[in-house]
Amino acid sequence: MKLVFAGTPEVAVPALDALIASGRHEVAAVVTRPDAPAGRGRRLVASPVAERAEEAGIEVLKPVKPRDPEFLERLRAIAPDCCPVVAYGALLPRVALDVPVHGWVNLHFSLLPAWRGAAPVQHSIMAGDEITGASTFLIEEGLDSGPVYGTVTEEIRSTDTSGDLLTRLAFAGSGLLAATMDGIEDGTLKAVPQPAEGITVAPKITVEDAQVDWGTPALRVDRVVRGCTPAPGAWTVFRGERLKLIQVRPVPERTDLAPGALAVGKNSVHVGTASYAIELLWVQAQGKKPMKAADWARGVRIGEGETLGA
């Protein structure tokens, strides 16, 4: 088939690579978000998908909105058979959805209908799921509600951050997306409607969502930190300033600390929760670089009775 691939961040690159490498289909063009300011100089930088497409000599389209007339005209001229999508980042209007013969097929990082929305991996970790996966489905105008072509499953490990899990799913899902294109092309794969039961939603995680509540159990604190790492980054308050929590570890054997209470040892920093303690392993104070929590604690000289949290 002739394909137009839509995607933007680094997590979409493995799927683009898999389609280029398959040799069975032609990636005629890539659609991605416009260049965005990045770094201290805030200079405009192309998306990871745009950079990879340019390396491969593939035409890159960067519409401000996918309903822009110039973009739609070019899309119709290319006349793709199908448009595979991974984390493109913009809502596709009906006028664009109708262009390819076989529609737009999205690789979504959950086992649909679970965790429809922008942050499925983060929410699956924060909810304590043991299994997740990726799904390919035909995009409709509803939120991740279209019929599903295929899935792969992935175990969520007890130490996984959303970054760890998303990386594994990006590579597992790239094979699924390539296989989905093959099945659509040869007619062996049919999309199956999603069940009406088991629907959960995964809206974007905000900075406010990433604030740790020490009045919740240790398991919840651990899941919030892992689910919000690397972005937007879990945090708490110490002496009126934000302290980013990069890595923590539950300590079930310690139950003597009140929620938010700090206990500093020679090489350890423990914090109380509603159940048992959490050990801070890596933190980042405001305006500082990431550091081991024990080094941070020595530097700030935590006094008796000091706590974390609002």
Side-chain angles (χ1 to χ4, degrees):
M1 295 190 294
K2 182 187 286 187
L3 307 177
V4 169
F5 179 87
T8 299
E10 188 67 40
V11 73
V13 173
L16 175 58
D17 283 339
L19 293 171
I20 293 170
S22 75
R24 181 164 174 174
H25 311 289
E26 175 198 356
V27 182
V30 155
V31 185
T32 190
R33 300 295 292 147
D35 297 357
R40 288 188 176 181
R42 305 306 289 166
R43 64 185 182 90
L44 291 179
V45 175
S47 74
V49 165
E51 290 183 350
R52 180 66 188 93
E54 286 164 1
E55 287 172 7
I58 297 170
E59 179 182 356
V60 179
L61 307 173
K62 302 178 182 180
V64 175
K65 294 182 179 179
R67 62 171 67 253
D68 291 351
E70 298 83 0
F71 166 69
L72 293 172
E73 182 180 349
R74 181 61 189 140
L75 187 65
R76 293 188 188 102
I78 296 170
D81 297 300
C82 190
C83 294
V85 184
V86 186
Y88 169 47
L91 193 64
L92 295 162
R94 170 52 58 188
V95 66
L97 293 176
D98 289 340
V99 173
V101 176
H102 296 287
W104 296 66
V105 175
N106 192 37
L107 172 65
H108 181 76
F109 297 116
S110 81
L111 297 174
L112 292 169
W115 304 124
R116 295 175 177 175
V121 174
Q122 292 93 326
H123 280 277
S124 64
I125 289 176
M126 291 168 72
D129 293 351
E130 295 179 352
I131 298 291
T132 187
S135 308
T136 49
F137 71 95
L138 183 66
I139 294 180
E140 299 177 335
E141 289 185 279
L143 177 65
D144 300 333
S145 59
V148 173
Y149 282 106
T151 60
V152 291
T153 59
E154 181 72 32
E155 180 184 358
I156 300 178
R157 301 167 188 168
S158 61
T159 57
D160 272 340
T161 65
S162 61
D164 298 332
L165 184 55
L166 192 54
T167 297
R168 295 206 306 276
L169 288 173
F171 283 94
S174 66
L176 172 64
L177 186 62
T180 300
M181 294 298 105
D182 294 348
I184 291 172
E185 191 268 335
D186 62 26
T188 59
L189 199 56
K190 302 296 180 187
V192 177
Q194 294 183 32
E197 302 80 31
I199 297 171
T200 49
V201 293
K204 182 179 179 180
I205 303 290
T206 66
V207 172
E208 289 72 26
D209 295 330
Q211 182 176 8
V212 166
D213 180 356
W214 298 106
T216 58
L219 277 179
R220 173 63 183 169
V221 173
D222 177 56
R223 289 168 183 168
V224 169
V225 173
R226 291 188 294 112
C228 293
T229 301
W235 59 281
T236 187
V237 175
F238 178 70
R239 295 178 183 169
E241 292 188 342
R242 285 190 184 181
L243 178 69
K244 188 175 180 180
L245 306 176
I246 298 172
Q247 187 181 16
V248 303
R249 181 179 70 89
V251 187
E253 60 271 19
R254 181 155 198 181
T255 58
D256 62 318
L257 294 174
L262 283 160
V264 180
K266 186 176 180 181
N267 292 301
S268 65
V269 182
H270 291 170
V271 189
T273 73
S275 55
Y276 45 81
I278 283 285
E279 181 179 3
L280 305 185
L281 299 177
W282 281 84
V283 300
Q284 184 175 6
Q286 217 165 296
K288 304 288 186 180
K289 293 181 178 180
M291 65 178 69
K292 290 182 179 179
D295 294 338
W296 163 78
R298 277 190 291 271
V300 297
R301 298 183 181 181
I302 294 170
E304 188 175 344
E306 286 199 280
T307 63
L308 294 184

